[in-house]
Amino acid sequence: DIQMTQSPSSLSASVGDRVIITCRASQSISSHLNWYQQKPGKAPKFLIYAASSLQRGVPSRFSGSGSGTDFTLSISGLQPEDFATYYCQQSYSTPYTFGQGTKLEIK
Amino acid sequence: EVQLLESGGGLVQPGGSLRLSCAASGFTFSNYAMSWVRQAPGKGLEWVSSISSGGSTYYADSVKGRFTISRDNSKNTVYVQMSSLRAEDTAVYYCANSRITGTTGEDFDYWGQGTLVTVSS
């Protein structure tokens, strides 16, 4: 199975900041990497597919990059609604595995 | 508007069975792969199973042989039949559709609100 490791596990930031969350795969997954946002008590929301493509309706302050084993999710100009938990997920092969999550909290 | 509505969750004893349903609307259901993803209380997301538009099925090792995913395109509904349930199967179960047609369910576009399955005596 492909292991997905996110860092950091938690992160404190202020409104207006730029943050970067990293995700590392245990083997190369090309660009088969997706990102999701989850708020407490809610279903996840699909943010980015194929490592860098924004899903419909996702604000342009979100961006993704990377290929192979190393990926990043960047959020520029943090907004209050961005404080949530973020998960990466590899779509290269079954079992489709998620990272453990990164909780983004307000400083 | 895409809507996914799960049902069928509840309390079940270890070793018991349960069938979850997910009724879909707002898209051409038969063209899209569908998946189940679960989240244990306070934990992260875990992919459980997917079914392609053509009916091919895929399972996580943790549920293989115990869970069966199926779909009824006439009812726009995907199911997961869960048997030999264990305490570690306790979770909120979400259904999700794939982002594009013709895939095996490797990504999760729209999600339902989830249904809680609790396995306990």
Side-chain angles (χ1 to χ4, degrees):
Chain A
D1 298 2
I2 299 174
Q3 308 303 317
M4 306 301 293
T5 304
Q6 290 181 232
S7 60
S9 295
S10 63
L11 178 59
S12 293
S14 300
V15 172
D17 283 353
R18 178 174 182 256
V19 298
I20 297 174
I21 298 169
T22 66
C23 178
R24 175 165 289 176
S26 60
Q27 66 183 73
S28 177
I29 57 171
S30 185
S31 296
H32 297 272
L33 191 282
N34 307 310
W35 290 98
Y36 302 84
Q37 175 195 65
Q38 187 179 33
K39 297 180 180 179
K42 300 295 186 181
K45 175 185 176 182
F46 194 13
L47 292 180
I48 288 173
Y49 63 94
S52 61
S53 296
L54 248 57
Q55 182 61 323
R56 75 187 87 76
V58 174
S60 58
R61 63 180 179 272
F62 290 88
S63 63
S65 66
S67 66
T69 60
D70 294 313
F71 303 87
T72 61
L73 171 68
S74 299
I75 314 172
S76 60
L78 273 172
Q79 297 299 301
E81 60 268 28
D82 299 336
F83 292 94
T85 299
Y86 293 85
Y87 294 91
C88 62
Q89 175 247 330
Q90 64 84 13
S91 53
Y92 183 79
S93 65
T94 59
Y96 301 125
T97 43
F98 290 87
Q100 82 278 15
T102 295
K103 187 173 184 179
L104 176 56
E105 299 175 302
I106 299 177
K107 184 182 290 183
Chain B
E1 178 192 7
V2 172
Q3 291 193 343
L4 299 169
L5 185 62
E6 301 97 337
S7 60
L11 176 63
V12 60
Q13 292 188 338
S17 298
L18 209 57
R19 188 180 82 157
L20 306 183
S21 302
C22 171
S25 61
F27 65 103
T28 307
F29 178 79
S30 60
N31 289 350
Y32 288 80
M34 297 295 296
S35 300
W36 290 94
V37 176
R38 68 184 179 184
Q39 186 169 36
K43 303 297 184 182
L45 301 170
E46 180 188 16
W47 171 75
V48 173
S49 182
S50 297
I51 184 167
S52 72
S53 57
S56 296
T57 58
Y58 309 87
Y59 298 95
D61 285 346
S62 59
V63 306
K64 198 172 295 182
R66 300 188 299 123
F67 288 16
T68 302
I69 191 171
S70 61
R71 64 191 299 156
D72 185 339
N73 291 338
S74 69
K75 296 182 178 179
N76 286 357
T77 300
V78 61
Y79 307 95
V80 60
Q81 177 70 47
M82 305 185 296
S83 60
S84 302
L85 283 162
R86 308 165 179 166
E88 54 265 35
D89 295 318
T90 295
V92 173
Y93 285 73
Y94 296 101
C95 70
N97 65 345
S98 58
R99 180 178 61 85
I100 57 176
T101 60
T103 67
T104 58
E106 63 265 32
D107 53 34
F108 317 112
D109 192 356
Y110 289 94
W111 299 60
Q113 85 290 348
T115 187
L116 177 63
V117 172
T118 303
V119 184
S120 174
S121 55

